Amino acid sequence: MAARPSPPPDPQFVLRGTQSAVQALHFHEGAQGQGHPLLISGSLSGLVHIWSLQTRRALTTLDGHGGQCVIWLQTLPQGPQLLSQGRDLRLCLWDLAEGRNTVVDSMGLESMGFCKGSLLARGPQRWTLAVPGRGSDEIQILEMPSKTSVCTLKPEADAKPGMPMCLELWQADSSSRPLLLAGYEDGSVALWDVSERKVCSRIACHTEPVMGLDFDSQKARGVSGSAEKALAVWSLDEQQALQVCRTHELTNPGISDVKIRPDRKILATAGWDHRVRVFHWRTMKPLAVLAFHTSIVHCLAFAADGLLAAGSKDHRISVWSLYPRS
């Protein structure tokens, strides 16, 4: 008889105390605590919690979004600074140095959607930011920290993709030109050349809005999920043309988030069916179904050491150690 597959593991530990649904997660590497990353979470109630993975308690709570849902968190390339994006149409910059927890800068956003921003480091003190724009189908590109508007990306006149739902700024190793992948309301994924302000390629990946996407720039391969029962895996050729490689059927419909681990070995999905599913990234072979949460899993984050965190509507954050990095 063939050996039965071993059951999936339990979480390494669980973080409780957000007191509302967890909507955003981000690992802050190189933080205090003997090289252990900090985990930062954003909640439906507008609070940001910074967690110690050693004590498994919140070190501090940031309150800067007026009780409105926090949908995106990102630490900056230099120093202990944090960006948080809320449904209050504010992007806040926090100084976390030496235990501080003050908003040192903020800017207003013009979109009521749920589209998270994306950040690309262009130098030690310079980065490019993509956020949803004023028009429902527009994306705004800003130079930071000066908040200088670089351009507004508007779809072609004959394209009707709807609202941008998720954004991923990146840059090829061989180029200094930023590129942007955007998932849209109509289920399409588009590649923008930011400098030229034009769409290089657009593909129809889903029949429902793209809820999450991630891109492996080394393999020129990405993945996206929607309300459907399928993941779309797509690639980018040397002519900057996107093409769908395959779709992977899921057991249940609804994906909130997809994340590729930094070593590009495994992929995780956050499901509306309360489950986190783990796949081999190269082959898309299913590896594990993590059934811990009792409601929708909204968000995922991988640490550089491979640790996986999942945040749910059930107010809990599960932290998993899976397939240790070799």
Side-chain angles (χ1 to χ4, degrees):
M1 291 177 61
R4 295 182 64 182
S6 56
D10 292 326
Q12 194 169 22
F13 52 87
V14 178
L15 303 175
R16 297 176 173 85
T18 63
Q19 298 174 341
S20 69
V22 181
Q23 298 280 351
L25 288 170
H26 177 68
F27 279 104
H28 177 33
E29 308 289 344
Q32 61 258 52
Q34 301 172 352
H36 291 276
L38 296 175
L39 180 61
I40 307 173
S41 68
S43 70
L44 182 65
S45 63
L47 299 179
V48 174
H49 291 86
I50 301 178
W51 302 88
S52 164
L53 299 188
Q54 291 173 294
T55 64
R56 301 171 191 179
R57 295 179 182 276
L59 297 172
T60 188
T61 301
L62 311 177
D63 185 359
H65 289 284
Q68 297 290 308
C69 178
V70 176
I71 63 171
W72 180 57
L73 298 162
Q74 177 71 51
T75 46
L76 298 187
Q78 83 292 338
Q81 291 185 307
L82 171 72
L83 280 176
S84 63
Q85 177 187 349
R87 289 275 287 168
D88 60 343
L89 302 184
R90 285 183 84 214
L91 193 69
C92 293
L93 178 64
W94 303 84
D95 178 11
L96 305 180
E98 299 169 1
R100 290 194 285 272
N101 55 4
T102 52
V103 175
V104 292
D105 201 358
S106 68
M107 60 177 278
L109 300 174
E110 297 180 291
S111 170
M112 285 296 291
F114 279 97
C115 183
K116 304 172 184 179
S118 182
L119 187 74
L120 176 66
R122 308 293 301 283
Q125 300 289 333
R126 180 171 162 256
W127 59 93
T128 298
L129 176 70
V131 290
R134 178 181 297 175
S136 64
D137 59 358
E138 294 178 357
I139 300 165
Q140 189 177 12
I141 306 295
L142 299 161
E143 197 69 46
M144 302 292 282
S146 67
K147 306 180 199 169
T148 305
S149 178
V150 175
C151 63
T152 298
L153 304 179
K154 302 178 183 181
E156 318 89 292
D158 58 340
K160 304 287 186 215
M163 293 188 296
M165 303 295 293
C166 41
L167 307 172
E168 181 76 23
L169 274 170
W170 63 284
Q171 192 170 296
D173 292 339
S174 58
S175 170
S176 61
R177 297 163 71 94
L179 298 167
L180 175 73
L181 284 158
Y184 284 93
E185 190 178 6
D186 70 348
S188 68
V189 172
L191 175 72
W192 287 88
D193 183 318
V194 173
S195 305
E196 297 285 337
R197 305 180 194 183
K198 69 173 185 180
V199 171
C200 304
S201 179
R202 183 190 297 277
I203 47 169
C205 293
H206 307 276
T207 59
E208 298 281 347
V210 180
M211 303 302 293
L213 65 78
D214 203 358
F215 185 65
D216 176 351
S217 59
Q218 291 197 11
K219 293 187 173 76
R221 189 163 167 258
V223 61
S224 53
S226 73
E228 300 166 315
K229 289 178 66 173
L231 289 171
V233 179
W234 31 270
S235 64
L236 180 65
D237 67 21
E238 292 178 356
Q239 283 71 48
Q240 294 191 328
L242 292 166
Q243 56 190 27
V244 177
C245 303
R246 61 179 293 187
T247 56
H248 181 88
E249 291 296 315
L250 298 169
T251 306
N252 299 307
I255 293 295
S256 306
D257 198 7
V258 292
K259 285 286 187 293
I260 301 165
R261 197 164 71 175
D263 65 356
R264 301 175 303 283
K265 295 287 180 64
I266 64 174
L267 162 77
T269 64
W272 296 3
D273 64 356
H274 315 170
R275 284 154 175 73
V276 175
R277 286 181 161 78
V278 183
F279 302 86
H280 187 285
W281 172 222
R282 183 173 58 81
T283 65
M284 291 302 292
K285 176 186 175 184
L287 297 176
V289 178
L290 309 180
F292 167 78
H293 291 285
T294 56
S295 191
I296 289 176
V297 182
H298 285 304
C299 50
L300 300 167
F302 276 113
D305 64 3
L307 217 56
L308 171 66
S312 170
K313 187 180 178 181
D314 66 12
H315 304 189
R316 296 181 294 177
I317 301 166
S318 57
V319 181
W320 307 79
S321 180
L322 302 166
Y323 309 101
R325 295 181 56 168
S326 55

